[in-house]
Amino acid sequence: SSTNGLNSVVPAVVFKEDWKTKTERLRKRSIYGSHPGWRLLPILIKSNDDLRQEQLASQLIQRFSLILAKGRVPVWLYPYEIVSLTGR
């Protein structure tokens, strides 16, 4: 670990850890890690924000992913879902 000059510790594994390694590390530390249904899910949480732009971006990513896959273009796009928890 190192410091960022603001007296807080910056973790050594910010973006250098692959998903499988991260999953294994967190599963070992979790009190629920031995549960057969345990899995690590990536999520992004936003508050007090209008999600319409994110929803449009997600739809575009899904469309482009399908178009590029049909054209056998060797790129990787990860479509994701937008879930609103309020009616705003």
Side-chain angles (χ1 to χ4, degrees), residues 20-77:
K20 183 178 178 184
T21 304
K22 181 181 290 192
T23 300
E24 290 170 2
R25 178 176 59 81
L26 293 174
R27 184 175 198 140
K28 288 177 187 175
R29 295 181 68 185
S30 172
I31 62 172
Y32 303 105
S34 63
H35 189 277
W38 189 97
R39 65 183 181 151
L40 184 62
L41 297 173
I43 62 169
L44 174 67
I45 298 173
K46 297 180 89 172
S47 65
N48 299 322
D49 204 1
D50 185 349
L51 297 178
R52 289 178 290 186
Q53 287 180 332
E54 281 85 352
Q55 194 163 27
L56 175 61
S58 173
Q59 291 169 350
L60 288 171
I61 290 170
Q62 289 174 342
R63 282 287 172 208
F64 281 117
S65 179
L66 289 172
I67 292 167
L68 295 169
K70 286 181 182 177
R72 298 179 190 250
V73 177
V75 297
W76 182 78
L77 296 177

